[in-house]
Amino acid sequence: MNCVETVETPLPRALPDNARFAIVAPAGPARLDTDKARQWFESRGYQCRIYPGALQADGYLAGSDEQRLQDLHDAFRDPAIDAIVCMRGGYGSMRLLDRLDFDLIRRHPKPLVGYSDITALHCALSRHAGLVTFHGAMLNADLLGGKQEPTERSFLEQLGGRLGQGDAIVHPAVYPLSSVVPGEAVGRLVGGNLSLLGATLGTLAEVDTRDSILFIEDVNEPLYRVDRLLTQLRLAGKLEGVRGVLVGDFAGITVTALSPLLLDIFGPLGVPVLAGWRSGHCDPNVCLPLGARVRLDSTAQSLRLAQALFKH
């Protein structure tokens, strides 16, 4: 249940000119072309620092737990780092949760960007450090993987502070949205990968859905398993306090096939449900500010910020 108070903390600053990004790997390993990574950032006027764990592999993990944890703490602690981008997902973020120094992170707030397994960090940092984090492009699959716009644009636009209160988070018109349940609601945008939301129930990263717009997405999950995961959230009391639902991409499951299940699970809540949002394991991958207050209008098929994301 929603029994832990969410911590509030001052907003970080938006990316400055010549911002420096930290590249960390809290989860799984991947081959990283360091020259290509540095060239990507430098060609856009930025710098990057690649932390040791991003270049290591320990079976299905990118480096040891100690190394991955140290990289995260060092990236938050370093005043020269302006934002933190995860290299990939996979698995491993949950192994760090009970050793995260939330006081350290709260003292040095800065944007963390990633999705998939990084959902565990998004939820934990929201609850225990009060951070707004970003469900958006990771280094290997997205930024270096050539995903189509608005993947890069939404990533840099939001971290650069170019969207303010009342501004729309633009969704590509070529990918139609579906107003499963019409209506309008305001709340904190929470959620991420549905499998991780289920896996972290009962842990310190359990998603706080009070007064929320719940965002869900997943990959390689058949419809019956999506049903099981949503039913798990319902039985755990995690649909209480949900003001609206934003449904992302579920690779291999069309919105048409998903809609009856969405109506069955969320219909009794009487809240707006907008489906088909391209964020997560899809191309393009639209950035979303988790922990920020947003206005969801499923009738108009729009999502707008209801707060500023950064200090200016």
Side-chain angles (χ1 to χ4, degrees), residues 22-27 51-53 65-78 81 84-86 92-93 96-97 99-101 104-105 108 110-113 118 121 125:
I23 306 303
V24 299
Y51 281 71
D65 289 351
E66 291 72 19
Q67 182 66 68
R68 299 187 338 274
L69 182 68
Q70 180 179 328
D71 288 353
L72 267 178
H73 286 160
D74 287 349
F76 275 105
R77 182 186 293 113
D78 189 346
I81 296 298
I84 303 169
V85 178
C86 297
S93 298
L96 309 181
L97 294 177
R99 287 183 282 174
L100 285 172
D101 187 338
L104 166 70
I105 293 168
H108 304 280
K110 55 190 67 172
L112 173 82
V113 192
I118 309 304
L121 295 179
L125 294 182

Side-chain angles (χ1 to χ4, degrees), residues 12-233:
R13 296 195 180 277
L15 294 181
D17 294 338
N18 199 29
R20 177 173 291 174
F21 288 79
I23 306 303
V24 299
R31 288 188 176 183
L32 177 61
D33 186 330
T34 58
D35 290 337
K36 185 177 180 181
R38 290 192 175 95
Q39 183 181 28
W40 190 94
F41 286 100
E42 289 172 0
S43 67
R44 290 155 178 81
Y46 304 116
Q47 305 173 58
C48 74
R49 178 181 174 188
I50 300 170
Y51 281 71
L55 302 174
Q56 298 175 10
D58 184 5
Y60 49 78
L61 302 170
S64 66
D65 289 351
E66 291 72 19
Q67 182 66 68
R68 299 187 338 274
L69 182 68
Q70 180 179 328
D71 288 353
L72 267 178
H73 286 160
D74 287 349
F76 275 105
R77 182 186 293 113
D78 189 346
I81 296 298
D82 300 296
I84 303 169
V85 178
C86 297
M87 183 174 69
R88 61 156 295 186
Y91 169 72
S93 298
M94 286 181 64
R95 294 172 61 113
L96 309 181
L97 294 177
D98 58 347
R99 287 183 282 174
L100 285 172
D101 187 338
F102 294 111
D103 289 335
L104 166 70
I105 293 168
R106 192 182 304 116
R107 292 195 305 270
H108 304 280
K110 55 190 67 172
L112 173 82
V113 192
Y115 59 97
S116 191
D117 191 71
I118 309 304
T119 295
L121 295 179
H122 289 313
C123 292
L125 294 182
S126 176
R127 293 199 75 145
H128 302 287
L131 295 193
V132 171
T133 58
F134 294 84
H135 187 278
M138 292 192 285
L139 184 64
N140 268 28
D142 301 89
L143 301 180
L144 302 185
K147 284 195 175 179
Q148 60 186 315
E149 289 294 7
T151 302
E152 176 185 331
R153 183 172 66 252
S154 64
F155 166 81
L156 294 176
E157 184 176 65
Q158 290 182 41
L159 269 66
R162 296 196 287 273
L163 291 184
Q165 184 172 352
D167 288 336
I169 299 174
V170 177
H171 188 268
V174 69
Y175 295 97
L177 296 169
S178 177
S179 302
V180 179
V181 179
E184 187 175 359
V186 176
R188 290 179 308 107
L189 185 63
V190 304
N193 182 258
L194 182 58
S195 295
L196 265 293
L197 296 180
T200 51
L201 289 178
T203 74
L204 57 82
E206 182 174 312
V207 64
D208 181 0
T209 55
R210 295 170 300 172
D211 186 32
S212 72
I213 303 298
L214 177 64
F215 168 70
I216 54 173
E217 66 86 39
D218 219 317
V219 63
N220 298 329
E221 296 290 352
L223 188 60
Y224 80 91
R225 280 161 58 173
V226 175
D227 186 337
R228 183 170 63 197
L229 286 161
L230 290 175
T231 299
Q232 182 184 15
L233 293 184

